[in-house]
mmCIF file of all heavy atoms in Angstrom:
data_model
loop_
_atom_site.group_PDB
_atom_site.id
_atom_site.type_symbol
_atom_site.label_atom_id
_atom_site.label_comp_id
_atom_site.label_asym_id
_atom_site.label_seq_id
_atom_site.Cartn_x
_atom_site.Cartn_y
_atom_site.Cartn_z
ATOM 1 N N ARG A 1 8.770 7.602 0.201
ATOM 2 C CA ARG A 1 9.933 8.445 0.431
ATOM 3 C C ARG A 1 10.783 7.901 1.572
ATOM 4 O O ARG A 1 12.011 8.062 1.572
ATOM 5 C CB ARG A 1 9.490 9.878 0.731
ATOM 6 C CG ARG A 1 8.888 10.563 -0.478
ATOM 7 C CD ARG A 1 8.325 11.942 -0.185
ATOM 8 N NE ARG A 1 9.327 12.809 0.392
ATOM 9 C CZ ARG A 1 9.446 13.076 1.692
ATOM 10 N NH1 ARG A 1 8.592 12.539 2.543
ATOM 11 N NH2 ARG A 1 10.380 13.876 2.131
ATOM 12 N N ALA A 2 10.152 7.299 2.570
ATOM 13 C CA ALA A 2 10.934 6.698 3.651
ATOM 14 C C ALA A 2 11.798 5.567 3.107
ATOM 15 O O ALA A 2 12.958 5.398 3.506
ATOM 16 C CB ALA A 2 10.008 6.180 4.752
ATOM 17 N N VAL A 3 11.247 4.805 2.169
ATOM 18 C CA VAL A 3 12.011 3.739 1.531
ATOM 19 C C VAL A 3 13.125 4.342 0.682
ATOM 20 O O VAL A 3 14.277 3.893 0.713
ATOM 21 C CB VAL A 3 11.078 2.857 0.671
ATOM 22 C CG1 VAL A 3 11.886 1.893 -0.183
ATOM 23 C CG2 VAL A 3 10.111 2.095 1.560
ATOM 24 N N GLN A 4 12.804 5.389 -0.073
ATOM 25 C CA GLN A 4 13.810 6.026 -0.926
ATOM 26 C C GLN A 4 14.952 6.597 -0.085
ATOM 27 O O GLN A 4 16.128 6.435 -0.418
ATOM 28 C CB GLN A 4 13.155 7.122 -1.776
ATOM 29 C CG GLN A 4 14.023 7.652 -2.903
ATOM 30 C CD GLN A 4 15.050 8.672 -2.440
ATOM 31 O OE1 GLN A 4 14.842 9.359 -1.442
ATOM 32 N NE2 GLN A 4 16.155 8.760 -3.153
ATOM 33 N N ASN A 5 14.617 7.257 1.014
ATOM 34 C CA ASN A 5 15.646 7.849 1.850
ATOM 35 C C ASN A 5 16.489 6.795 2.558
ATOM 36 O O ASN A 5 17.632 7.057 2.933
ATOM 37 C CB ASN A 5 15.012 8.784 2.886
ATOM 38 C CG ASN A 5 14.731 10.164 2.332
ATOM 39 O OD1 ASN A 5 15.542 11.064 2.432
ATOM 40 N ND2 ASN A 5 13.572 10.329 1.711
ATOM 41 N N THR A 6 15.929 5.607 2.741
ATOM 42 C CA THR A 6 16.652 4.527 3.416
ATOM 43 C C THR A 6 17.475 3.694 2.439
ATOM 44 O O THR A 6 18.652 3.413 2.688
ATOM 45 C CB THR A 6 15.670 3.606 4.165
ATOM 46 O OG1 THR A 6 14.890 4.381 5.078
ATOM 47 C CG2 THR A 6 16.422 2.528 4.933
ATOM 48 N N PHE A 7 16.867 3.318 1.313
ATOM 49 C CA PHE A 7 17.520 2.374 0.404
ATOM 50 C C PHE A 7 17.948 2.992 -0.927
ATOM 51 O O PHE A 7 18.648 2.353 -1.713
ATOM 52 C CB PHE A 7 16.586 1.189 0.129
ATOM 53 C CG PHE A 7 16.107 0.493 1.368
ATOM 54 C CD1 PHE A 7 14.756 0.466 1.693
ATOM 55 C CD2 PHE A 7 17.008 -0.134 2.222
ATOM 56 C CE1 PHE A 7 14.315 -0.168 2.841
ATOM 57 C CE2 PHE A 7 16.564 -0.779 3.375
ATOM 58 C CZ PHE A 7 15.214 -0.793 3.697
ATOM 59 N N GLY A 8 17.492 4.207 -1.209
ATOM 60 C CA GLY A 8 17.882 4.868 -2.445
ATOM 61 C C GLY A 8 16.943 4.570 -3.599
ATOM 62 O O GLY A 8 15.979 3.815 -3.484
ATOM 63 N N ASP A 9 17.246 5.178 -4.745
ATOM 64 C CA ASP A 9 16.406 5.040 -5.940
ATOM 65 C C ASP A 9 16.432 3.634 -6.517
ATOM 66 O O ASP A 9 15.565 3.280 -7.321
ATOM 67 C CB ASP A 9 16.869 6.014 -7.032
ATOM 68 C CG ASP A 9 16.658 7.465 -6.652
ATOM 69 O OD1 ASP A 9 15.844 7.718 -5.752
ATOM 70 O OD2 ASP A 9 17.321 8.342 -7.252
ATOM 71 N N GLY A 10 17.414 2.837 -6.132
ATOM 72 C CA GLY A 10 17.534 1.494 -6.680
ATOM 73 C C GLY A 10 16.634 0.469 -6.039
ATOM 74 O O GLY A 10 16.671 -0.706 -6.410
ATOM 75 N N CYS A 11 15.816 0.871 -5.084
ATOM 76 C CA CYS A 11 14.771 -0.009 -4.541
ATOM 77 C C CYS A 11 13.517 0.198 -5.363
ATOM 78 O O CYS A 11 13.032 1.329 -5.493
ATOM 79 C CB CYS A 11 14.504 0.304 -3.072
ATOM 80 S SG CYS A 11 13.091 -0.599 -2.391
ATOM 81 N N TYR A 12 12.978 -0.875 -5.882
ATOM 82 C CA TYR A 12 11.913 -0.740 -6.876
ATOM 83 C C TYR A 12 10.592 -0.238 -6.312
ATOM 84 O O TYR A 12 9.693 0.100 -7.080
ATOM 85 C CB TYR A 12 11.695 -2.059 -7.616
ATOM 86 C CG TYR A 12 11.057 -3.176 -6.818
ATOM 87 C CD1 TYR A 12 9.719 -3.512 -7.000
ATOM 88 C CD2 TYR A 12 11.798 -3.922 -5.909
ATOM 89 C CE1 TYR A 12 9.133 -4.550 -6.291
ATOM 90 C CE2 TYR A 12 11.230 -4.962 -5.197
ATOM 91 C CZ TYR A 12 9.901 -5.269 -5.384
ATOM 92 O OH TYR A 12 9.324 -6.300 -4.680
ATOM 93 N N TYR A 13 10.459 -0.148 -4.986
ATOM 94 C CA TYR A 13 9.233 0.444 -4.460
ATOM 95 C C TYR A 13 9.493 1.734 -3.692
ATOM 96 O O TYR A 13 8.684 2.179 -2.892
ATOM 97 C CB TYR A 13 8.394 -0.548 -3.641
ATOM 98 C CG TYR A 13 9.086 -1.370 -2.588
ATOM 99 C CD1 TYR A 13 9.287 -0.866 -1.319
ATOM 100 C CD2 TYR A 13 9.488 -2.672 -2.858
ATOM 101 C CE1 TYR A 13 9.882 -1.643 -0.324
ATOM 102 C CE2 TYR A 13 10.085 -3.461 -1.886
ATOM 103 C CZ TYR A 13 10.289 -2.937 -0.621
ATOM 104 O OH TYR A 13 10.880 -3.711 0.353
ATOM 105 N N SER A 14 10.620 2.356 -3.961
ATOM 106 C CA SER A 14 10.828 3.700 -3.443
ATOM 107 C C SER A 14 10.122 4.706 -4.347
ATOM 108 O O SER A 14 9.688 4.373 -5.447
ATOM 109 C CB SER A 14 12.322 4.021 -3.348
ATOM 110 O OG SER A 14 12.912 4.055 -4.631
ATOM 111 N N GLY A 15 10.007 5.934 -3.874
ATOM 112 C CA GLY A 15 9.308 6.962 -4.636
ATOM 113 C C GLY A 15 9.068 8.185 -3.778
ATOM 114 O O GLY A 15 9.806 8.418 -2.808
ATOM 115 N N TYR A 16 8.012 8.943 -4.078
ATOM 116 C CA TYR A 16 7.830 10.227 -3.398
ATOM 117 C C TYR A 16 6.397 10.481 -2.937
ATOM 118 O O TYR A 16 5.996 11.621 -2.769
ATOM 119 C CB TYR A 16 8.357 11.363 -4.278
ATOM 120 C CG TYR A 16 9.868 11.330 -4.332
ATOM 121 C CD1 TYR A 16 10.521 10.589 -5.312
ATOM 122 C CD2 TYR A 16 10.627 11.962 -3.361
ATOM 123 C CE1 TYR A 16 11.903 10.497 -5.325
ATOM 124 C CE2 TYR A 16 12.008 11.883 -3.368
ATOM 125 C CZ TYR A 16 12.652 11.147 -4.357
ATOM 126 O OH TYR A 16 14.020 11.050 -4.364
ATOM 127 N N ASP A 17 5.633 9.442 -2.712
ATOM 128 C CA ASP A 17 4.326 9.558 -2.044
ATOM 129 C C ASP A 17 3.412 10.579 -2.707
ATOM 130 O O ASP A 17 2.633 11.252 -2.032
ATOM 131 C CB ASP A 17 4.498 9.954 -0.564
ATOM 132 C CG ASP A 17 5.553 9.148 0.151
ATOM 133 O OD1 ASP A 17 5.349 7.945 0.321
ATOM 134 O OD2 ASP A 17 6.588 9.729 0.530
ATOM 135 N N LYS A 18 3.473 10.712 -4.027
ATOM 136 C CA LYS A 18 2.616 11.705 -4.688
ATOM 137 C C LYS A 18 1.151 11.320 -4.549
ATOM 138 O O LYS A 18 0.285 12.187 -4.395
ATOM 139 C CB LYS A 18 3.007 11.839 -6.165
ATOM 140 C CG LYS A 18 4.420 12.353 -6.396
ATOM 141 C CD LYS A 18 4.588 13.774 -5.948
ATOM 142 C CE LYS A 18 5.973 14.305 -6.280
ATOM 143 N NZ LYS A 18 6.152 14.550 -7.717
ATOM 144 N N ILE A 19 0.846 10.037 -4.642
ATOM 145 C CA ILE A 19 -0.496 9.569 -4.284
ATOM 146 C C ILE A 19 -0.361 8.320 -3.417
ATOM 147 O O ILE A 19 0.561 7.519 -3.587
ATOM 148 C CB ILE A 19 -1.402 9.261 -5.492
ATOM 149 C CG1 ILE A 19 -0.818 8.138 -6.363
ATOM 150 C CG2 ILE A 19 -1.702 10.500 -6.300
ATOM 151 C CD1 ILE A 19 -1.831 7.535 -7.308
ATOM 152 N N VAL A 20 -1.282 8.179 -2.473
ATOM 153 C CA VAL A 20 -1.341 7.012 -1.590
ATOM 154 C C VAL A 20 -2.805 6.595 -1.462
ATOM 155 O O VAL A 20 -3.710 7.396 -1.713
ATOM 156 C CB VAL A 20 -0.753 7.324 -0.196
ATOM 157 C CG1 VAL A 20 0.727 7.649 -0.288
ATOM 158 C CG2 VAL A 20 -1.522 8.467 0.471
ATOM 159 N N PRO A 21 -3.071 5.357 -1.073
ATOM 160 C CA PRO A 21 -4.465 4.929 -0.883
ATOM 161 C C PRO A 21 -5.104 5.655 0.297
ATOM 162 O O PRO A 21 -4.429 5.998 1.272
ATOM 163 C CB PRO A 21 -4.341 3.427 -0.591
ATOM 164 C CG PRO A 21 -2.956 3.043 -0.990
ATOM 165 C CD PRO A 21 -2.113 4.262 -0.822
ATOM 166 N N THR A 22 -6.395 5.890 0.201
ATOM 167 C CA THR A 22 -7.132 6.347 1.375
ATOM 168 C C THR A 22 -7.255 5.179 2.360
ATOM 169 O O THR A 22 -7.080 4.014 1.990
ATOM 170 C CB THR A 22 -8.539 6.830 0.996
ATOM 171 O OG1 THR A 22 -9.283 5.719 0.448
ATOM 172 C CG2 THR A 22 -8.479 7.957 -0.026
ATOM 173 N N ILE A 23 -7.561 5.504 3.605
ATOM 174 C CA ILE A 23 -7.749 4.441 4.605
ATOM 175 C C ILE A 23 -8.844 3.485 4.150
ATOM 176 O O ILE A 23 -8.706 2.258 4.273
ATOM 177 C CB ILE A 23 -8.092 5.050 5.974
ATOM 178 C CG1 ILE A 23 -6.900 5.847 6.517
ATOM 179 C CG2 ILE A 23 -8.499 3.965 6.970
ATOM 180 C CD1 ILE A 23 -7.194 6.602 7.805
ATOM 181 N N HIS A 24 -9.917 4.014 3.631
ATOM 182 C CA HIS A 24 -11.025 3.186 3.163
ATOM 183 C C HIS A 24 -10.565 2.205 2.097
ATOM 184 O O HIS A 24 -11.045 1.058 2.057
ATOM 185 C CB HIS A 24 -12.123 4.088 2.597
ATOM 186 C CG HIS A 24 -13.338 3.360 2.124
ATOM 187 N ND1 HIS A 24 -14.201 2.701 2.972
ATOM 188 C CD2 HIS A 24 -13.859 3.207 0.873
ATOM 189 C CE1 HIS A 24 -15.187 2.160 2.280
ATOM 190 N NE2 HIS A 24 -15.010 2.450 1.011
ATOM 191 N N ALA A 25 -9.624 2.625 1.248
ATOM 192 C CA ALA A 25 -9.179 1.782 0.141
ATOM 193 C C ALA A 25 -8.132 0.755 0.546
ATOM 194 O O ALA A 25 -7.879 -0.179 -0.212
ATOM 195 C CB ALA A 25 -8.627 2.651 -0.991
ATOM 196 N N TYR A 26 -7.509 0.906 1.716
ATOM 197 C CA TYR A 26 -6.514 -0.096 2.100
ATOM 198 C C TYR A 26 -6.884 -0.917 3.326
ATOM 199 O O TYR A 26 -6.281 -1.955 3.585
ATOM 200 C CB TYR A 26 -5.126 0.528 2.268
ATOM 201 C CG TYR A 26 -4.867 1.387 3.486
ATOM 202 C CD1 TYR A 26 -4.818 0.841 4.784
ATOM 203 C CD2 TYR A 26 -4.594 2.748 3.354
ATOM 204 C CE1 TYR A 26 -4.535 1.634 5.886
ATOM 205 C CE2 TYR A 26 -4.307 3.552 4.458
ATOM 206 C CZ TYR A 26 -4.279 2.989 5.716
ATOM 207 O OH TYR A 26 -4.001 3.773 6.815
ATOM 208 N N GLU A 27 -7.899 -0.497 4.086
ATOM 209 C CA GLU A 27 -8.227 -1.218 5.309
ATOM 210 C C GLU A 27 -9.178 -2.385 5.051
ATOM 211 O O GLU A 27 -9.826 -2.474 4.009
ATOM 212 C CB GLU A 27 -8.865 -0.275 6.335
ATOM 213 C CG GLU A 27 -7.865 0.366 7.280
ATOM 214 C CD GLU A 27 -7.216 -0.650 8.234
ATOM 215 O OE1 GLU A 27 -7.501 -1.864 8.152
ATOM 216 O OE2 GLU A 27 -6.400 -0.209 9.066
ATOM 217 N N THR A 28 -9.260 -3.263 6.052
ATOM 218 C CA THR A 28 -10.189 -4.391 6.007
ATOM 219 C C THR A 28 -11.597 -3.910 6.335
ATOM 220 O O THR A 28 -11.796 -2.833 6.910
ATOM 221 C CB THR A 28 -9.783 -5.459 7.012
ATOM 222 O OG1 THR A 28 -9.845 -4.907 8.336
ATOM 223 C CG2 THR A 28 -8.364 -5.959 6.744
ATOM 224 N N VAL A 29 -12.564 -4.739 6.010
ATOM 225 C CA VAL A 29 -13.953 -4.427 6.339
ATOM 226 C C VAL A 29 -14.104 -4.250 7.850
ATOM 227 O O VAL A 29 -14.798 -3.338 8.322
ATOM 228 C CB VAL A 29 -14.892 -5.538 5.826
ATOM 229 C CG1 VAL A 29 -16.309 -5.327 6.357
ATOM 230 C CG2 VAL A 29 -14.887 -5.572 4.301
ATOM 231 N N ALA A 30 -13.424 -5.085 8.604
ATOM 232 C CA ALA A 30 -13.515 -5.013 10.064
ATOM 233 C C ALA A 30 -13.035 -3.669 10.604
ATOM 234 O O ALA A 30 -13.491 -3.216 11.661
ATOM 235 C CB ALA A 30 -12.708 -6.146 10.697
ATOM 236 N N ASN A 31 -12.132 -3.033 9.859
ATOM 237 C CA ASN A 31 -11.570 -1.753 10.292
ATOM 238 C C ASN A 31 -12.127 -0.579 9.491
ATOM 239 O O ASN A 31 -11.516 0.487 9.429
ATOM 240 C CB ASN A 31 -10.051 -1.780 10.185
ATOM 241 C CG ASN A 31 -9.416 -2.691 11.211
ATOM 242 O OD1 ASN A 31 -9.919 -2.839 12.323
ATOM 243 N ND2 ASN A 31 -8.321 -3.330 10.848
ATOM 244 N N GLY A 32 -13.282 -0.780 8.863
ATOM 245 C CA GLY A 32 -13.941 0.306 8.159
ATOM 246 C C GLY A 32 -13.558 0.466 6.708
ATOM 247 O O GLY A 32 -13.937 1.455 6.058
ATOM 248 N N GLY A 33 -12.818 -0.494 6.175
ATOM 249 C CA GLY A 33 -12.391 -0.416 4.785
ATOM 250 C C GLY A 33 -13.174 -1.352 3.887
ATOM 251 O O GLY A 33 -14.289 -1.772 4.213
ATOM 252 N N ILE A 34 -12.586 -1.724 2.762
ATOM 253 C CA ILE A 34 -13.309 -2.497 1.752
ATOM 254 C C ILE A 34 -12.859 -3.949 1.628
ATOM 255 O O ILE A 34 -13.542 -4.745 0.982
ATOM 256 C CB ILE A 34 -13.165 -1.844 0.359
ATOM 257 C CG1 ILE A 34 -11.694 -1.802 -0.065
ATOM 258 C CG2 ILE A 34 -13.788 -0.457 0.351
ATOM 259 C CD1 ILE A 34 -11.479 -1.388 -1.507
ATOM 260 N N TRP A 35 -11.726 -4.308 2.254
ATOM 261 C CA TRP A 35 -11.136 -5.603 1.938
ATOM 262 C C TRP A 35 -11.656 -6.724 2.829
ATOM 263 O O TRP A 35 -11.672 -6.619 4.050
ATOM 264 C CB TRP A 35 -9.612 -5.521 2.034
ATOM 265 C CG TRP A 35 -9.049 -4.628 0.966
ATOM 266 C CD1 TRP A 35 -8.549 -3.377 1.124
ATOM 267 C CD2 TRP A 35 -8.990 -4.921 -0.428
ATOM 268 N NE1 TRP A 35 -8.164 -2.861 -0.091
ATOM 269 C CE2 TRP A 35 -8.419 -3.782 -1.058
ATOM 270 C CE3 TRP A 35 -9.345 -6.019 -1.213
ATOM 271 C CZ2 TRP A 35 -8.207 -3.722 -2.436
ATOM 272 C CZ3 TRP A 35 -9.135 -5.954 -2.585
ATOM 273 C CH2 TRP A 35 -8.568 -4.830 -3.185
ATOM 274 N N GLU A 36 -12.058 -7.814 2.161
ATOM 275 C CA GLU A 36 -12.566 -9.005 2.833
ATOM 276 C C GLU A 36 -11.456 -10.047 2.925
ATOM 277 O O GLU A 36 -10.566 -10.106 2.076
ATOM 278 C CB GLU A 36 -13.745 -9.572 2.039
ATOM 279 C CG GLU A 36 -14.873 -8.577 1.821
ATOM 280 C CD GLU A 36 -15.750 -8.962 0.647
ATOM 281 O OE1 GLU A 36 -15.382 -8.655 -0.509
ATOM 282 O OE2 GLU A 36 -16.807 -9.560 0.888
ATOM 283 N N ASP A 37 -11.522 -10.874 3.932
ATOM 284 C CA ASP A 37 -10.505 -11.906 4.118
ATOM 285 C C ASP A 37 -10.420 -12.805 2.886
ATOM 286 O O ASP A 37 -11.442 -13.273 2.370
ATOM 287 C CB ASP A 37 -10.837 -12.760 5.347
ATOM 288 C CG ASP A 37 -10.716 -11.981 6.647
ATOM 289 O OD1 ASP A 37 -10.062 -10.923 6.640
ATOM 290 O OD2 ASP A 37 -11.278 -12.445 7.667
ATOM 291 N N GLY A 38 -9.209 -13.034 2.434
ATOM 292 C CA GLY A 38 -8.988 -13.967 1.338
ATOM 293 C C GLY A 38 -8.996 -13.356 -0.052
ATOM 294 O O GLY A 38 -8.689 -14.052 -1.026
ATOM 295 N N ASP A 39 -9.310 -12.086 -0.184
ATOM 296 C CA ASP A 39 -9.356 -11.437 -1.499
ATOM 297 C C ASP A 39 -7.931 -11.173 -1.972
ATOM 298 O O ASP A 39 -7.223 -10.324 -1.415
ATOM 299 C CB ASP A 39 -10.136 -10.126 -1.400
ATOM 300 C CG ASP A 39 -10.450 -9.507 -2.763
ATOM 301 O OD1 ASP A 39 -9.690 -9.751 -3.719
ATOM 302 O OD2 ASP A 39 -11.449 -8.768 -2.865
ATOM 303 N N ILE A 40 -7.484 -11.900 -2.997
ATOM 304 C CA ILE A 40 -6.090 -11.795 -3.441
ATOM 305 C C ILE A 40 -5.794 -10.456 -4.122
ATOM 306 O O ILE A 40 -4.620 -10.092 -4.276
ATOM 307 C CB ILE A 40 -5.718 -12.948 -4.395
ATOM 308 C CG1 ILE A 40 -6.536 -12.875 -5.690
ATOM 309 C CG2 ILE A 40 -5.899 -14.295 -3.708
ATOM 310 C CD1 ILE A 40 -6.149 -13.939 -6.709
ATOM 311 N N ARG A 41 -6.826 -9.727 -4.495
ATOM 312 C CA ARG A 41 -6.596 -8.437 -5.129
ATOM 313 C C ARG A 41 -5.947 -7.446 -4.174
ATOM 314 O O ARG A 41 -5.250 -6.510 -4.610
ATOM 315 C CB ARG A 41 -7.921 -7.875 -5.663
ATOM 316 C CG ARG A 41 -8.541 -8.710 -6.758
ATOM 317 C CD ARG A 41 -9.934 -8.223 -7.146
ATOM 318 N NE ARG A 41 -10.888 -8.355 -6.049
ATOM 319 C CZ ARG A 41 -12.196 -8.152 -6.179
ATOM 320 N NH1 ARG A 41 -12.704 -7.802 -7.351
ATOM 321 N NH2 ARG A 41 -13.014 -8.300 -5.152
ATOM 322 N N ARG A 42 -6.158 -7.653 -2.889
ATOM 323 C CA ARG A 42 -5.652 -6.703 -1.895
ATOM 324 C C ARG A 42 -4.135 -6.580 -1.963
ATOM 325 O O ARG A 42 -3.585 -5.486 -2.101
ATOM 326 C CB ARG A 42 -6.096 -7.132 -0.497
ATOM 327 C CG ARG A 42 -5.656 -6.179 0.598
ATOM 328 C CD ARG A 42 -5.971 -6.748 1.978
ATOM 329 N NE ARG A 42 -5.649 -5.790 3.029
ATOM 330 C CZ ARG A 42 -5.516 -6.109 4.298
ATOM 331 N NH1 ARG A 42 -5.684 -7.379 4.683
ATOM 332 N NH2 ARG A 42 -5.223 -5.191 5.205
ATOM 333 N N ASN A 43 -3.440 -7.690 -1.862
ATOM 334 C CA ASN A 43 -1.981 -7.639 -1.833
ATOM 335 C C ASN A 43 -1.356 -7.483 -3.206
ATOM 336 O O ASN A 43 -0.156 -7.190 -3.311
ATOM 337 C CB ASN A 43 -1.426 -8.883 -1.132
ATOM 338 C CG ASN A 43 -1.638 -8.825 0.366
ATOM 339 O OD1 ASN A 43 -1.425 -7.797 0.992
ATOM 340 N ND2 ASN A 43 -2.090 -9.934 0.938
ATOM 341 N N GLU A 44 -2.117 -7.667 -4.257
ATOM 342 C CA GLU A 44 -1.625 -7.346 -5.599
ATOM 343 C C GLU A 44 -1.737 -5.849 -5.872
ATOM 344 O O GLU A 44 -0.967 -5.294 -6.659
ATOM 345 C CB GLU A 44 -2.412 -8.116 -6.666
ATOM 346 C CG GLU A 44 -2.187 -9.607 -6.667
ATOM 347 C CD GLU A 44 -0.769 -9.992 -7.049
ATOM 348 O OE1 GLU A 44 -0.108 -9.208 -7.771
ATOM 349 O OE2 GLU A 44 -0.310 -11.060 -6.604
ATOM 350 N N SER A 45 -2.674 -5.206 -5.224
ATOM 351 C CA SER A 45 -2.954 -3.801 -5.498
ATOM 352 C C SER A 45 -2.207 -2.843 -4.580
ATOM 353 O O SER A 45 -1.871 -1.725 -4.979
ATOM 354 C CB SER A 45 -4.461 -3.540 -5.363
ATOM 355 O OG SER A 45 -5.203 -4.336 -6.268
ATOM 356 N N ILE A 46 -1.975 -3.267 -3.338
ATOM 357 C CA ILE A 46 -1.494 -2.349 -2.309
ATOM 358 C C ILE A 46 -0.311 -2.960 -1.562
ATOM 359 O O ILE A 46 -0.345 -4.130 -1.190
ATOM 360 C CB ILE A 46 -2.635 -2.012 -1.323
ATOM 361 C CG1 ILE A 46 -3.787 -1.339 -2.078
ATOM 362 C CG2 ILE A 46 -2.140 -1.101 -0.198
ATOM 363 C CD1 ILE A 46 -5.038 -1.135 -1.265
ATOM 364 N N ARG A 47 0.727 -2.149 -1.363
ATOM 365 C CA ARG A 47 1.883 -2.597 -0.586
ATOM 366 C C ARG A 47 1.691 -2.232 0.885
ATOM 367 O O ARG A 47 1.458 -1.073 1.224
ATOM 368 C CB ARG A 47 3.179 -1.968 -1.107
ATOM 369 C CG ARG A 47 4.396 -2.266 -0.220
ATOM 370 C CD ARG A 47 5.700 -1.922 -0.867
ATOM 371 N NE ARG A 47 5.984 -2.815 -1.990
ATOM 372 C CZ ARG A 47 6.453 -4.060 -1.880
ATOM 373 N NH1 ARG A 47 6.695 -4.578 -0.678
ATOM 374 N NH2 ARG A 47 6.682 -4.789 -2.958
ATOM 375 N N TYR A 48 1.811 -3.256 1.734
ATOM 376 C CA TYR A 48 1.692 -3.059 3.171
ATOM 377 C C TYR A 48 3.039 -3.212 3.882
ATOM 378 O O TYR A 48 3.255 -2.638 4.940
ATOM 379 C CB TYR A 48 0.698 -4.061 3.766
ATOM 380 C CG TYR A 48 -0.720 -3.857 3.296
ATOM 381 C CD1 TYR A 48 -1.196 -4.464 2.133
ATOM 382 C CD2 TYR A 48 -1.604 -3.053 4.003
ATOM 383 C CE1 TYR A 48 -2.497 -4.278 1.695
ATOM 384 C CE2 TYR A 48 -2.916 -2.853 3.574
ATOM 385 C CZ TYR A 48 -3.346 -3.473 2.410
ATOM 386 O OH TYR A 48 -4.649 -3.284 1.982
#
């Protein structure tokens, strides 16, 4: 929604935050999450 309010509906990653990842699902292992260094699935799955 912050993106939508800033750039409008024409930004392809704007929206309304109906669902977001949990901290566990987006953080690194070092920070208590699941992601290991070098795993390319991380940046394909989640926008940072």
Side-chain angles (χ1 to χ4, degrees):
R1 291 175 57 260
V3 170
Q4 192 280 333
N5 277 268
T6 304
F7 305 117
D9 294 340
C11 173
Y12 71 104
Y13 48 85
S14 65
Y16 288 90
D17 313 294
K18 297 293 184 72
I19 62 163
V20 296
T22 63
I23 294 174
H24 182 68
Y26 73 68
E27 268 292 2
T28 62
V29 171
N31 290 327
I34 61 171
W35 293 106
E36 303 159 278
D37 292 342
D39 190 333
I40 64 176
R41 296 173 296 188
R42 182 187 185 197
N43 286 316
E44 292 294 334
S45 300
I46 299 172
R47 173 167 292 281
Y48 294 88

